[in-house]
Amino acid sequence: MEQNQMDQETLSCSICLDLLKDPVTIPCGHNYCMNCIKIHWNEEDRKRIHSCPQCRETFIPRPVLKKNTVLAALVEQLKKTALQAAAADHCYAGPEDVKHKLVEPSKNLQENICSKHDKLLEIFCRTDHKCVCSLCLTEEHKGHDIVSAATERTERQRELEERRGNIQQRIQDREEDVKLLQQEVEAISRSADKTVEDSEKIFTQLIHLLQKRSSDVKQQIRSQQETEVSRVKDVQEKLEQEITELKRKDAELEQLSHTEDHNQFLLNYPSLPALSTPIKFSNLEYLPLGYFEKVTAAVSELRDKLQDILRLSWTNISLMVTEVDVLLSQPGSEPKSRAGFLRYSCEITLDPNTAFPCLGLSEGNRKVTWMNQRQSYSSHSDRFTDWTQVLSRESLTGRCYWEVEEGGNMSGFGYNDKSWVLTCSHSSSSFTHNSIWTSISGPVSSRVGVYLDHRAGLLSFYSVSETMTLLHRVQTKFTRPLLAGFHFHFLPCSHLSAKHQRVKVQPD
């Protein structure tokens, strides 16, 4: 019995204090249940340093766990020995037999003693869900479903660990949700900061533009003022010269008029010069009071128009600001409208390194077209050479939505358990996964929407028109990020007509 007790202590997990289940030995030499040490290290993942719960030795990176088959065999042998000992405990003792069983010291020993028979409560009655002694089995618990308390504890301990595992998994999921929400907060803040910065730049540009226009108007007015004043001053100078000349002649005439000698007066009178033709300004008496009033009126009209534009634009800007709404719907729930799907829109670009040689990419690698000759792609290990298809550059996780507009046939993929494909043509449509083909009834528009909820394992295809029509939905479990793929029905490059088939990933 002492040997069994020592073996049980040696082969017990220091985390759950039970016999090792799927025993593993970590680099420092200590042994644990595989699930126990995994849970312990999962809790340390954030620190990126993993340690031994006993000796505290740390390991970087996280060690790979492998089952210790020798320890597993020893644990199974110990279990068999314990079961045999338990069976022997239930045998009736002979006159010469004296049996003893060692148990761990208990602080509440009296609670483990049967109050009726004064014996150890070492048997569990599953029928009545209570611990009983061996004599109870011959009375009120006779014929009930019974097991040893240790066996029941082992099973309940296993259930407890499963529940703990579920709780810890939920904790991990919720912590991941909190992390995602924190990322959402940071993304909102980054977007808001960038929008404020961009808006300030735009408004500053508008202010500078208005200031430039104000300066231009001022400069034009001053230039026109200078021109017109110069013209007026030229005429004013000529008039002043004419006045001076007329005053001189008037003085001569006045002097001649005072000549008393008649002969002298008559002699000098013919020598007086004739008056020059006067400069005529027939419109001077109708001079306007304000020469630039029309400019003021035009600027006022511009101001009124700008105010109207700003008033309308401000309403639109305010609506755009209030439309910012973080979606907090549960994983697996889908939007109800195209506008709802577009809130998860992601930009898909095609990877030239994967494109079949006869596929041409354009519009920033967002459009793929059949070409009637091979393209000048460089050699690459990721390129499709046997399948007429191309993959996206982006790896897709989280919630994503994109739309595909096709002008020909789409097909391919779907021949393994790692790809899902919707095949569309003008006459029929189908869905394929793992070589299982499913026909899709109903018309399909030329635009197909694809919605992915990676965490929920949800992949949905929609026909996009005035409404969103569900074509097919997949519920599965994705173990890695996905790539969007596009495939054409195979035609040799030399056989393609001028009407190339094309597939375009919409920027929406």
Side-chain angles (χ1 to χ4, degrees):
M1 294 299 291
E2 291 181 0
Q3 182 62 42
N4 285 343
Q5 186 67 25
M6 291 176 62
D7 290 343
Q8 184 166 355
E9 292 177 356
T10 303
L11 299 176
S12 293
C13 173
S14 62
I15 296 178
C16 67
L17 305 180
D18 201 355
L19 283 177
L20 292 166
K21 294 180 283 294
D22 295 329
V24 294
T25 302
I26 63 175
C28 63
H30 290 107
N31 306 311
Y32 300 95
C33 301
M34 182 176 289
N35 190 51
C36 291
I37 192 63
K38 277 185 176 180
I39 293 173
H40 175 74
W41 283 350
N42 286 344
E43 296 173 349
E44 293 184 328
D45 274 345
R46 288 186 175 181
K47 304 176 183 177
R48 298 184 180 179
I49 299 178
H50 304 87
S51 63
C52 172
Q54 289 183 259
C55 67
R56 299 301 179 185
E57 183 176 345
T58 58
F59 315 106
I60 302 177
R62 176 172 174 165
V64 177
L65 298 175
K66 293 184 179 180
K67 184 176 179 179
N68 189 322
T69 55
V70 175
L71 282 179
L74 290 175
V75 170
E76 290 301 317
Q77 183 61 40
L78 181 61
K79 287 181 179 179
K80 292 179 181 179
T81 304
L83 287 175
Q84 292 173 356
D89 286 344
H90 289 289
C91 296
Y92 289 103
E96 303 296 328
D97 293 332
V98 177
K99 295 187 177 182
H100 301 278
K101 183 177 181 180
L102 297 177
V103 296
E104 292 292 332
S106 175
K107 295 181 179 179
N108 302 316
L109 183 61
Q110 194 59 38
E111 294 180 2
N112 296 327
I113 302 298
C114 178
S115 59
K116 185 175 181 180
H117 303 105
D118 202 28
K119 285 187 170 290
L120 186 64
L121 300 173
E122 56 184 351
I123 302 170
F124 185 78
C125 177
R126 288 178 171 173
T127 304
D128 294 331
H129 300 283
K130 64 184 297 186
C131 291
V132 298
C133 70
S134 57
L135 293 181
C136 293
L137 301 180
T138 62
E139 298 177 3
E140 64 267 27
H141 296 280
K142 185 176 182 180
H144 288 186
D145 183 12
I146 62 168
V147 293
S148 70
T151 300
E152 184 68 12
R153 164 63 188 271
T154 300
E155 293 189 15
R156 296 294 173 261
Q157 184 74 25
R158 187 178 298 112
E159 292 177 1
L160 183 147
E161 293 302 328
E162 290 178 358
R163 293 180 64 182
R164 283 195 65 206
N166 293 335
I167 291 173
Q168 290 170 355
Q169 182 61 47
R170 183 175 296 184
I171 292 172
Q172 185 175 346
D173 292 342
R174 289 296 174 261
E175 288 177 343
E176 185 65 25
D177 291 339
V178 170
K179 185 188 300 182
L180 291 175
L181 289 175
Q182 180 59 35
Q183 293 174 356
E184 195 77 18
V185 169
E186 294 171 357
I188 292 170
S189 299
R190 285 196 300 270
S191 179
D193 292 344
K194 186 176 186 304
T195 304
V196 168
E197 181 181 353
D198 293 343
S199 300
E200 288 181 345
K201 287 181 180 178
I202 294 170
F203 279 113
T204 300
Q205 291 170 355
L206 286 174
I207 293 171
H208 288 167
L209 179 60
L210 289 173
Q211 290 175 339
K212 177 68 166 56
R213 290 293 178 263
S214 174
S215 177
D216 290 344
V217 170
K218 179 180 179 180
Q219 184 177 353
Q220 282 186 294
I221 292 173
R222 293 306 183 193
S223 176
Q224 190 66 20
Q225 174 190 6
E226 183 179 351
T227 300
E228 295 304 315
V229 167
S230 177
R231 287 178 58 221
V232 171
K233 284 187 175 182
D234 286 344
V235 175
Q236 183 181 4
E237 184 177 351
K238 290 179 181 179
L239 289 176
E240 289 176 348
Q241 289 175 357
E242 184 179 353
I243 291 171
T244 301
E245 181 64 20
L246 289 172
K247 285 182 177 180
R248 185 183 63 77
K249 289 181 178 181
D250 181 60
E252 290 178 358
L253 290 175
E254 181 183 6
Q255 183 180 1
L256 182 61
S257 66
H258 293 295
T259 303
E260 294 181 357
D261 188 338
H262 300 305
N263 292 332
Q264 190 68 28
F265 176 85
L266 294 174
L267 180 64
N268 292 331
Y269 185 81
S271 64
L272 293 174
L275 294 176
S276 61
T277 304
I279 300 174
K280 295 184 178 180
F281 300 97
S282 59
N283 60 339
L284 282 178
E285 57 181 316
Y286 303 109
L287 292 177
L289 297 178
Y291 289 93
F292 296 97
E293 285 183 350
K294 290 183 178 180
V295 177
T296 303
V299 174
S300 298
E301 183 181 358
L302 173 63
R303 177 200 60 197
D304 296 339
K305 289 182 179 180
L306 285 177
Q307 285 178 342
D308 292 339
I309 294 173
L310 288 174
R311 189 180 300 110
L312 178 61
S313 300
W314 177 252
T315 301
N316 294 334
I317 292 170
S318 298
L319 287 174
M320 294 299 174
V321 173
T322 56
E323 280 184 3
V324 175
D325 183 15
V326 179
L327 298 179
L328 297 176
S329 54
Q330 295 298 319
S333 61
E334 293 188 33
K336 305 301 181 184
S337 64
R338 183 169 181 263
F341 281 105
L342 289 177
R343 304 184 79 164
Y344 296 106
S345 63
C346 59
E347 182 170 331
I348 300 292
T349 55
L350 305 174
D351 187 356
N353 292 330
T354 66
F356 184 78
C358 291
L359 297 179
L361 305 184
S362 59
E363 297 185 13
N365 292 342
R366 295 179 62 81
K367 180 178 180 180
V368 54
T369 308
W370 266 108
M371 310 301 289
N372 54 12
Q373 60 183 0
R374 298 175 70 88
Q375 303 300 294
S376 58
Y377 292 126
S378 60
S379 176
H380 200 281
S381 58
D382 293 337
R383 186 171 312 288
F384 290 109
T385 55
D386 298 325
W387 295 94
T388 55
Q389 54 200 28
V390 60
L391 295 176
S392 67
R393 187 189 302 271
E394 295 80 13
S395 297
L396 306 175
T397 58
R399 295 191 187 192
C400 305
Y401 176 77
W402 67 96
E403 292 180 352
V404 179
E405 185 180 74
E406 56 91 15
N409 295 326
M410 294 176 58
S411 182
F413 297 104
Y415 295 106
N416 53 41
D417 61 354
K418 296 179 177 62
S419 62
W420 299 260
V421 64
L422 181 73
T423 305
C424 299
S425 69
H426 298 297
S427 57
S428 64
S429 301
S430 63
F431 175 81
T432 311
H433 171 63
N434 206 16
S435 299
I436 300 175
W437 180 85
T438 304
S439 177
I440 295 176
S441 60
V444 179
S445 68
S446 61
R447 180 176 290 196
V448 174
V450 185
Y451 175 71
L452 169 68
D453 187 338
H454 192 277
R455 181 177 174 187
L458 190 66
L459 180 64
S460 302
F461 298 88
Y462 286 86
S463 176
V464 181
S465 56
E466 293 181 356
T467 59
M468 301 289 288
T469 304
L470 179 64
L471 300 175
H472 194 78
R473 179 182 287 120
V474 176
Q475 185 68 61
T476 184
K477 182 178 181 180
F478 301 119
T479 57
R480 61 183 63 183
L482 302 183
L483 295 172
F486 306 91
H487 179 101
F488 290 91
H489 286 310
F490 178 77
L491 288 174
C493 295
S494 59
H495 293 171
L496 293 176
S497 66
K499 295 182 179 179
H500 305 316
Q501 300 178 50
R502 64 191 185 280
V503 174
K504 183 177 180 182
V505 183
Q506 293 298 315
D508 293 336

